[in-house]
Amino acid sequence: MQTYVDFLVALRTDMKKQTKEIIVGGDFNSKSYLWGSEVEDARGEVLSEWLAEENLIILNQGGKPTFIRENSKSHIDITFCSKNIGKYMTNWKVLEVETLSCHQHIVYEVSEKSKNQSKSIKKENRGWIVNKD
């Protein structure tokens, strides 16, 4: 377990060096309810706590497994991001295509507008108002 914690410490160090928003995706080989697993393992607990401490957002959505090998399926591939860019992340999903790997393709979109921004509709006066009374 210490090797896994050391990996997260090194990842934190690398992330702190960045001056822009961060999106990270990869095989973290950990299971947690937070990203769709039906069980939680020790690595999942450690990673969940680490993500919370770092104020990072988990992007995984839906119930499709990210890893499939014969009769084994799991949710070990995780995508997360810094809070500010999280507002622009949409449509995270696992694709159902042949990958020639046990890991499934994952796609997501980074939009130009925050998903929290409401679209304002400008109403214009376009003609007569008819009173039916």
Side-chain angles (χ1 to χ4, degrees), residues 17-46:
K17 293 177 186 176
Q18 303 304 314
T19 58
K20 298 185 179 185
E21 297 301 319
I22 296 170
I23 303 170
V24 176
D27 176 4
F28 282 81
N29 200 18
S30 61
K31 299 173 185 173
S32 172
Y33 306 107
L34 295 176
W35 48 87
S37 294
E38 294 179 6
V39 297
E40 185 166 73
D41 61 13
R43 286 183 178 192
E45 288 181 37
V46 169

Side-chain angles (χ1 to χ4, degrees), residues 2-3 11-12 46 58 62 68-69 84 86 129:
Q2 187 57 47
T3 303
L11 180 58
R12 173 187 293 133
V46 169
I58 301 166
I68 301 172
R69 179 176 44 204
N84 288 335
I129 296 175

Side-chain angles (χ1 to χ4, degrees), residues 48-63:
S48 296
E49 289 176 17
W50 182 83
L51 291 166
E53 289 170 5
E54 296 301 313
N55 205 23
L56 298 168
I57 298 170
I58 301 166
L59 299 172
N60 293 44
Q61 296 176 354

Side-chain angles (χ1 to χ4, degrees), residues 59-120:
L59 299 172
N60 293 44
Q61 296 176 354
K64 292 182 185 175
T66 61
F67 181 85
I68 301 172
R69 179 176 44 204
E70 297 173 7
N71 293 331
S72 175
K73 297 179 181 182
S74 62
H75 301 79
I76 58 174
D77 300 297
I78 304 155
T79 312
F80 56 87
C81 65
S82 52
K83 192 171 186 177
N84 288 335
I85 199 163
K87 297 180 276 191
Y88 300 92
M89 305 300 292
T90 60
N91 299 323
W92 186 98
K93 62 185 168 186
V94 178
L95 296 182
E96 293 183 28
V97 297
E98 180 58 52
T99 66
L100 301 178
S101 167
C102 295
H103 297 272
Q104 302 303 295
H105 288 299
I106 296 169
V107 296
Y108 53 85
E109 296 175 21
V110 182
S111 65
E112 291 181 5
K113 291 187 177 183
S114 165
K115 60 186 171 189
N116 297 331
Q117 285 178 324
S118 60
K119 295 181 181 177
S120 61

